[in-house]
């Protein structure tokens, strides 16, 4: 981020604009939304600017900009539509310690003006650091459409009511109250009887909430998918949006954690700081403890929680403590991996079954039905297989698997740093060693990337650029 978004307090302060033409007028339209005192300096104002002065909305000084004009201003705009003049006035304003924006000159500006969605006091600023103004405009249009025009009125009335709402305990109860006000009873009151109906509606909603029975906590066991936030289900996103507490694993990406409600307590149980991740029994205890305190707990697990996720232990803990829970499935690494290969997990006349297997289990190397897995056309997704490649390879070859069986390793599936390594069974172990994987990786036995599958088998090892 080269520009840090802040909201500048401008009520009662000076904002100075150098320029009296269309370029200045465009800025003035925005600045006039504020409670700042606006001064415009320049010769030959266009009619619209003169009218603003006649209506006492701005102070117009009709002469060219001089030293002293930017003194004590919070913000300064050089908006002359003339590079030489803008540079001249900006130099003066700099000397007078104003924060300077030169219109259409990102490099020499100390601040930039974002695209704004105005539901005052709710204001949304959208910036692209000058990279994509079209994108900013389309996001703005999207938000304008989505946010009811009454939002500003509700927020203003709501603000005056904040103190009274302190009778509700902080946290979920208070949040539930406000969310019902902004999205249900508030808009309904305005629609039915106009602005005057909002305050009584607020009061009666508060009475309802004060008298409501204590809500119980609950747990969502949520699949975070393989890493790409767009591969989250809508249900998972909604749960994250509402969570009081998010307990997450090491493989959950920062982009997904960003989607959690800002006030949510984020608990990392996958940290490897002291060598190991948290013990499963501690994770179970944390889930239950927060839920019993009445919180909405999201237990966020990579991929699908039902695949190598120790889900059952967490469910058992919830059941033992009498805590309500639900499972929200996610896209498992194997699904993301085959998608990147442009292949299917099952295919008519090739394999009518697919196995999800783990490279190791609690006892060490995991044993499987190797004879079945060694048959031509078999497909298996090997999770947690990085360190067990030699073992898997040995077992399969021992049970008669074709050494040229295609194998694909997908590291960081669905993430920007995704890698696909196409190899064969006989090359699996050396390929893995050479690849020096640092991210999570899944091995797809029996599958080559579609493009590589069409190339002859004489190319045993191939790394595909992504
Ligand atoms: N519940 C998860 C699996 C957890 S076990 C799921 O459904 O995907 C952890 C293993 O999953 C890792 O060792 C790796 O084999 C695999 N994995 C998880 N995310 C992955 C990703 N983005 N790319 C490749 N493999 C991944």
């Amino acid at each position: 981020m080269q520009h840090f978004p802040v909201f500048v307090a401008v009520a009662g302060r000076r904002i100075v604009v150098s320029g009296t033409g269309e370029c200045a007028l465009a800025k003035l339209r925005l600045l006039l939304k504020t409670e700042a005192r606006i001064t415009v300096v320049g010769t030959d104002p266009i009619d619209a600017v003169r009218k603003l002065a006649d209506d006492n909305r701005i102070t117009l000084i009709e002469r060219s900009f001089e030293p002293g004009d930017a003194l004590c201003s919070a913000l300064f705009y050089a908006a002359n539509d003339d590079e030489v003049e803008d540079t001249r006035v900006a130099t003066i304003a700099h000397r007078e310690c104003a924060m300077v924006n030169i219109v259409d000159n990102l490099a020499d500006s100390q601040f930039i003006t974002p695209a704004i969605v105005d539901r005052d006091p709710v204001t949304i600023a959208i910036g692209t650091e000058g990279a994509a103004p079209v994108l900013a405009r389309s996001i703005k249009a999207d938000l304008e459409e989505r946010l009811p025009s009454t939002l500003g009125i509700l927020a203003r009335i709501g603000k005056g009511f904040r103190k009274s709402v302190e009778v509700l305990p902080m946290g979920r109860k208070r949040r539930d109250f406000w969310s019902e006000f902004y999205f249900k009873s508030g808009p309904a009151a305005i629609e039915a009887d106009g602005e005057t109906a909002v305050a009584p509606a607020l009061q009666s909603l508060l009475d309802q909430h004060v008298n409501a029975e204590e809500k119980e906590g609950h747990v969502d066991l949520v699949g975070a998918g393989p890493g790409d936030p767009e591969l989250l289900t809508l249900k998972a996103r909604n749960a994250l949006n509402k969570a009081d507490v998010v307990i997450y694993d090491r493989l959950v990406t920062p982009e997904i954690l960003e989607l959690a409600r800002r006030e949510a307590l984020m608990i990392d149980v996958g940290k490897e700081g002291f060598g190991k991740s948290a013990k499963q029994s501690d994770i179970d205890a944390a889930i239950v403890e927060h839920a019993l305190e009445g919180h909405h707990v999201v237990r966020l697990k990579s991929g699908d929680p039902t695949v190598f996720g120790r889900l059952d232990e967490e469910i058992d803990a919830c059941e033992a403590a009498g805590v309500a829970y639900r499972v929200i499935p996610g896209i498992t690494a194997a699904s993301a991996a085959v998608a990147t290969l442009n292949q299917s997990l099952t295919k008519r006349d090739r394999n009518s079954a697919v196995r999800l297997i783990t490279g190791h289990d609690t006892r060490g190397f995991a044993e499987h039905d190797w004879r079945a897995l060694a048959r031509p056309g078999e497909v298996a997704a090997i999770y947690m297989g990085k360190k067990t490649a030699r073992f898997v390879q040995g077992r399969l070859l021992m049970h008669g698997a074709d050494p040229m069986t295609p194998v694909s390793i997908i590291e960081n599936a669905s993430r920007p740093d995704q890698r696909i390594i196409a190899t064969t069974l006989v090359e699996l172990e050396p390929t893995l060693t050479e690849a020096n994987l640092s991210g999570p990786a899944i091995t797809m036995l029996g599958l080559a990337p579609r493009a590589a599958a069409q190339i002859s088998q004489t190319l045993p090892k191939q790394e595909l650029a992504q």
Side-chain angles (χ1 to χ4, degrees), residues 39-341:
T39 301
V40 176
V41 186
T43 51
D44 291 333
I46 57 172
D47 290 349
V49 172
R50 185 178 296 289
K51 172 137 188 0
L52 290 174
D54 292 345
D55 294 347
N56 283 330
R57 303 195 58 200
I58 60 171
T59 305
L60 178 62
I61 302 177
E62 275 193 66
R63 58 161 167 73
S64 75
F65 196 83
E66 289 172 5
D69 282 346
L71 276 177
C72 301
S73 58
L75 300 175
F76 174 82
Y77 282 90
N80 293 286
D81 211 5
D82 171 342
E83 247 179 72
V84 178
E85 179 63 357
D86 277 349
T87 310
R88 183 185 77 83
V89 301
T91 312
I92 298 174
H94 275 304
R95 242 182 261 134
E96 293 171 2
C97 299
M99 281 268 285
V100 173
N101 172 275
I102 305 176
V103 176
D104 289 335
N105 181 346
L106 180 70
D108 296 328
S109 291
Q110 290 172 304
F111 70 95
I112 49 181
T113 317
I116 296 170
V117 178
D118 176 14
R119 297 285 186 274
D120 182 44
V122 178
T123 310
I124 302 168
I126 305 151
T128 61
E129 308 217 323
V134 175
L135 190 61
R137 271 198 294 280
S138 99
I139 295 171
K140 174 175 150 84
D142 258 14
L143 289 170
E144 298 268 11
E145 215 168 278
R146 226 176 319 147
L147 298 177
S149 52
T150 52
L151 194 70
I153 302 173
L154 293 176
R156 219 170 308 123
I157 300 174
K159 192 173 175 188
F161 215 76
R162 292 195 82 82
K163 200 96 205 116
S164 322
V165 180
E166 283 172 13
V167 293
L168 293 172
M170 259 211 329
R172 204 200 61 237
K173 282 205 104 184
R174 228 181 260 182
R175 257 188 340 264
D176 287 353
F177 167 81
W178 285 118
S179 127
E180 197 173 337
F181 167 64
Y182 285 120
F183 297 104
K184 276 197 210 144
S185 42
I190 292 197
E191 199 174 319
D193 296 307
E195 204 173 320
T196 48
V198 175
L202 252 172
Q203 187 57 57
S204 86
L205 184 68
L206 183 59
D207 294 343
Q208 260 176 47
H209 278 246
V210 169
N211 297 324
E213 278 184 23
E214 184 58 45
K215 261 205 219 161
E216 277 178 15
H218 63 286
V219 176
D220 285 331
L221 300 147
V222 180
D228 176 354
E230 287 192 20
L231 290 180
L232 272 179
T233 62
L234 198 52
K235 220 172 212 164
R237 275 203 75 147
N238 288 338
L240 274 172
N241 241 328
K242 296 195 191 120
D244 299 307
V245 180
V246 178
I247 301 179
Y248 63 95
D249 281 341
R250 185 171 50 91
L251 287 183
V252 177
T253 53
E255 293 80 1
I256 287 176
L257 296 176
E258 278 278 311
L259 299 172
R261 208 167 52 79
R262 235 175 84 190
E263 300 77 15
L265 172 65
M266 306 296 288
I267 303 177
D268 178 356
V269 290
K271 246 204 179 99
E272 287 183 302
F274 44 97
K276 260 198 177 157
S277 48
K279 277 202 301 223
Q280 185 61 43
S281 53
D282 293 341
I283 299 174
D284 300 344
I287 295 172
V288 166
E289 182 193 317
H290 288 285
L292 288 176
E293 283 169 5
H295 294 303
H296 173 187
V297 178
V298 164
R299 168 70 176 117
L300 195 57
K301 300 158 90 72
S302 81
D304 185 299
T306 72
V307 177
F308 302 126
R310 303 188 72 172
L311 176 70
D312 303 79
E313 292 161 66
E314 295 174 3
I315 289 180
D316 286 347
C318 289
E319 285 185 342
V323 167
Y325 65 89
R326 66 179 176 157
V327 180
I328 300 181
I331 292 184
T332 188
S335 300
V338 282
T340 69
L341 299 177

